[in-house]
Amino acid sequence: MLVRDAMSTVVLTIGPTHTLRQAAALMSARRVGAAVVYDPDAGGIGILTERDILNSVGLGQNLDTECAHAHTTTDVVFAAPAWTLEEAARAMAHGGFRHLVVLDRDEPVGIVSVRDIIRCWAPARRQAPAATATPAVPA
């Protein structure tokens, strides 16, 4: 199965000056766990995740004054729609993150998350023959 089959095509794009509260409200309204942050002055595309917002809360920062750019990951690993889910999972495991922005011709076309991959893999795992347990024999 490929990334294009699993990715969410709902791509929330925000600017670097959005506050974390604004970003959280938009993410919540769209039921997504990450937003693409487009900042042409800082090199283009970054990602802001729910974890980034949670870390800010944990530090006691003010979500109404903290801007997305201060919490955005800019050294993003991008996926291609034609990647296999194994390639995406390997990139996530290697980088220690849970979301990949999917680019097609340098444009964000989706986001694939660990949850998306699990949703695709779980039905296949359920259909696999279950291991048969040997019944206990009374002594």
Side-chain angles (χ1 to χ4, degrees), residues 9-135:
T9 56
V10 176
V11 180
L12 172 62
T13 303
I14 64 172
T17 59
H18 275 82
T19 67
L20 292 186
R21 185 169 313 280
Q22 291 169 325
L26 291 167
M27 291 164 64
S28 178
R30 287 169 181 76
R31 300 180 51 88
V32 297
V36 171
V37 180
Y38 181 67
D39 187 355
D41 295 331
I45 297 173
I47 189 168
L48 178 75
T49 67
E50 56 200 357
R51 175 75 44 107
D52 298 322
I53 296 170
L54 182 65
N55 287 340
S56 178
V57 169
L59 291 171
Q61 295 174 333
N62 184 339
L63 298 183
D64 292 313
T65 58
E66 286 295 313
C67 290
H69 72 85
H71 300 274
T72 298
T73 300
T74 55
D75 58 339
V76 179
V77 175
F78 298 103
W83 276 18
T84 66
L85 294 185
E86 289 80 7
E87 288 173 300
R90 195 171 18 261
M92 289 177 186
H94 179 71
F97 41 80
R98 299 177 299 159
H99 298 86
L100 290 171
V101 176
V102 183
L103 292 185
D104 189 12
R105 297 184 193 116
D106 295 327
E107 292 295 320
V109 295
I111 293 184
V112 65
S113 69
V114 170
R115 181 178 295 154
D116 296 327
I117 293 171
I118 290 170
R119 282 187 191 132
C120 290
W121 283 349
R125 302 289 191 250
R126 281 195 296 260
Q127 293 171 358
T132 55
T134 306

